[in-house]
Amino acid sequence: MTLSPSLVRDFQKLLGRENVFTEREDLLSYAFDGAVLPPRAPSIVLMPPSVELLGEALRRAYEGGLALTARGAGTNLSGATIPEPGDSAVILTGKLNRILEINQNDLYAVCEPGVVTADLFRKAAETGLFYPPDPGSMEVSTLGGNVALNAGGLRGLKYGVTKDYLMGLEFFDWRGRLIKSGSRTVKCVSGYNLPGLMTASEGTLGVFSRLILKLLPAPSRTLSMTAVYNNVAEAAESVAGIIAGRVLPATLEFMDQKCLKAVEAASKIGLPTEAAAMLLIEVDGFYDEQVRGDAEKIRLICRKNGALAVDLPESQTERDRIWEARRGTLPALARLRPSVVLEDATVPRSRVPEMLEAVGRLALKHRLEVGTFGHAGDGNLHPTILCDRRDPKEFKRVEEMVDGIFEAALKLDGTLSGEHGIGVAKAKWMEKETNRATIEFSLALRGALDPSGLFNFGKKVV
């Protein structure tokens, strides 16, 4: 079936010609996301300029038989925003980018789905409030995408992930009807938990139009620390020791030597490139005594587990540079080879040492260059395979290693994805983590809410 010219004209009349894209060069811009997967260009790209027009555009696209993929910034790493081949539409939320309310009395924000995550963080901070979810892409990723994939981030250990801050939302169903769920109240059990259902749904059940997000009082005291190690195992044991010691840092991040060297080459901030691994730790709170007490407990645990040094950066500028460098780890690694394959299989925190050991074995077995970093405090590691997608023999080894990473994580009672989502890349693995009955239940649910199977077909569960 070829995209109907009359349907294109309908969209142009509805949304304005400037918000409807059909030229090949424009379509190719939305043929891929952050995953290393083959691109697939849609038939048309729609950018509704208002929430009301989003619902109407969605209804007409569905009636026209177009496979639908909602897209924010396209930073996700699982192929969740790669459109279907054939007659398909990408619906962009970039113009739905208003922060509608920051409520300082009841501690919530109301936002449209195209708001950039960091913009909400900064707007809340202006009032002394705090929006904790902080994916590595927060300067460009959007809140709708964060909810769709349940994005995490560096502060996930103490503060949780996106699902922990979603109080309510509005979305459009396949008929273009506005569905309202959740509330501005702390407690709400009216009806089904639709916010919970829509979180991590990856655009397979509806398209978001408004989000109600919880805010917190901003902590007034913060201390950052770095711990340097001669071997990876000691760093991993320190992570397990900190959690077992009943200390809850705001962040507990891991970088191996490959990452340290890549980031130092890119940023020149004096990272210890001779070290096998480094932990980056931050504790926060409202009282100096509590924050300094937690920092001292962590220092003792790290030294007990073999840390060569545990340092507190002397100035705020130095602390900021270290955390900016950590957020820049993936771009720094990407400079080393034409392609990077970043995974996020996650294990129970006590099993981080075993997972790091497994990644090392797999890298040697498949003769691949791997840098590992990530949110070690919540078990969410990011083994990053450096490769060239154009070399079929090398990429075959990459695919075999990725399979091995998933196998290792599941054997350690872990999960396929801690924060990047399932998308296309991991859908075939879902039955191994769950079972066939779970897959069939999920497909039946999707079928009831999307009878023609047009919402992000082929993603999440297949």
Side-chain angles (χ1 to χ4, degrees):
M1 185 169 97
T2 304
L3 185 62
S4 164
S6 64
L7 184 58
V8 174
R9 289 193 296 270
D10 284 348
F11 285 131
Q12 291 173 338
K13 184 176 180 180
L14 175 69
L15 305 177
R17 284 181 171 273
E18 70 278 11
N19 296 314
V20 178
F21 307 99
T22 57
E23 295 297 325
R24 180 68 177 169
E25 55 268 30
D26 292 327
L27 300 179
L28 288 174
S29 298
Y30 305 100
F32 57 91
D33 56 22
V36 185
L37 293 168
R40 300 192 303 223
S43 307
I44 192 169
V45 174
L46 309 174
M47 184 182 281
S50 71
V51 165
E52 294 73 22
L53 290 175
L54 168 64
E56 181 60 19
L58 176 63
R59 182 187 68 79
R60 294 191 190 186
Y62 201 97
E63 289 178 352
L66 298 178
L68 300 168
T69 299
R71 181 184 175 106
T75 58
N76 75 94
L77 294 156
S78 62
T81 52
I82 296 177
E84 277 300 290
D87 283 353
S88 60
V90 167
I91 299 179
L92 304 177
T93 60
K95 289 191 174 181
L96 310 178
N97 58 3
R98 294 180 299 165
I99 298 175
L100 301 170
E101 182 183 0
I102 299 287
N103 190 303
Q104 299 181 55
N105 294 322
D106 292 318
L107 306 186
Y108 65 78
V110 182
C111 301
E112 291 180 335
V115 171
V116 171
T117 313
D119 288 347
L120 174 59
F121 175 84
R122 285 188 280 263
K123 190 71 173 178
E126 290 174 6
T127 66
L129 297 176
F130 179 38
Y131 181 66
D134 60 336
S137 59
M138 67 182 293
E139 291 292 342
V140 288
S141 67
T142 59
L143 294 173
N146 291 175
V147 173
L149 284 99
N150 193 25
L154 279 66
R155 288 190 282 262
L157 169 60
K158 180 174 182 178
Y159 290 103
V161 296
T162 302
K163 70 177 181 180
D164 301 305
Y165 296 86
L166 184 65
M167 299 170 64
L169 82 166
E170 297 177 4
F171 63 94
F172 290 103
D173 72 358
W174 64 278
R175 293 188 179 97
R177 300 179 304 180
L178 185 65
I179 310 302
K180 298 183 177 184
S181 61
S183 173
R184 288 166 168 77
T185 60
V186 174
K187 298 176 180 179
C188 175
V189 293
S190 299
Y192 290 112
N193 181 13
L194 297 185
L197 176 66
M198 299 303 289
T199 303
S201 60
E202 300 187 16
T204 61
L205 304 177
V207 178
F208 306 146
S209 60
R210 185 168 294 185
L211 309 169
I212 305 171
L213 298 162
K214 178 171 67 175
L215 303 176
L216 300 178
S220 55
R221 302 287 185 271
T222 302
L223 275 178
S224 297
M225 313 165 63
T226 59
V228 177
Y229 296 84
N230 256 342
N231 68 67
V232 169
E234 289 174 346
E237 291 295 343
S238 292
V239 171
I242 290 167
I243 302 303
R246 305 296 191 268
V247 188
L248 196 61
T251 57
L252 178 48
E253 298 290 301
F254 171 89
M255 296 171 68
D256 70 4
Q257 187 177 61
K258 176 69 69 176
C259 297
L260 291 170
K261 288 183 174 180
V263 172
E264 179 60 21
S267 61
K268 304 292 192 297
I269 63 169
L271 292 176
T273 55
E274 73 286 352
M278 184 170 77
L279 298 180
L280 295 85
I281 309 158
E282 188 168 273
V283 291
D284 67 4
F286 294 93
Y287 303 101
D288 278 333
E289 183 178 354
Q290 171 235 324
V291 171
R292 293 189 179 279
D294 285 349
E296 178 60 14
K297 288 179 184 177
I298 290 170
R299 186 188 72 81
L300 292 173
I301 291 169
C302 291
R303 292 307 299 262
K304 179 182 177 181
N305 283 283
L308 301 175
V310 182
D311 298 319
L312 275 71
E314 294 181 1
S315 68
Q316 184 62 45
T317 299
E318 188 178 355
R319 286 195 291 272
D320 290 345
R321 288 175 67 191
I322 288 174
W323 288 108
E324 286 171 13
R326 161 59 188 87
R327 291 185 184 280
T329 304
L330 180 57
L333 288 171
R335 295 172 56 172
L336 303 181
R337 293 292 305 277
S339 308
V340 292
V341 176
L342 175 70
E343 289 304 334
D344 75 320
T346 302
V347 297
R349 294 172 291 195
S350 63
R351 311 200 76 169
V352 165
E354 294 169 84
M355 190 64 200
L356 282 169
E357 184 182 353
V359 170
R361 287 197 310 268
L362 289 164
L364 288 174
K365 176 182 177 181
H366 296 289
R367 309 187 312 281
L368 291 168
E369 190 178 6
V370 180
T372 300
F373 65 99
H375 321 305
D378 52 30
N380 184 192
L381 296 172
H382 296 314
T384 305
I385 307 170
L386 312 181
C387 60
D388 188 341
R389 181 70 175 83
R390 299 165 297 184
D391 181 341
K393 290 183 179 179
E394 182 182 45
F395 205 74
K396 174 67 173 174
R397 300 201 309 276
V398 171
E399 291 175 326
E400 291 171 351
M401 179 168 176
V402 168
D403 286 347
I405 289 171
F406 294 156
E407 289 277 11
L410 295 180
K411 285 180 181 177
L412 294 172
D413 299 320
T415 182
L416 300 173
S417 177
E419 59 187 3
H420 294 167
I422 298 300
V424 176
K426 302 175 187 178
K428 68 177 182 179
W429 276 87
M430 281 291 290
E431 189 171 339
K432 279 207 169 185
E433 180 170 339
T434 57
N435 60 18
R436 190 61 210 167
T438 303
I439 300 302
E440 290 175 356
F441 181 91
S442 301
L443 292 173
L445 176 66
R446 284 183 65 167
L449 300 180
D450 173 16
S452 296
L454 297 178
F455 279 146
N456 226 7
F457 181 80
K459 317 301 194 309
K460 193 71 174 174
V461 290
V462 295

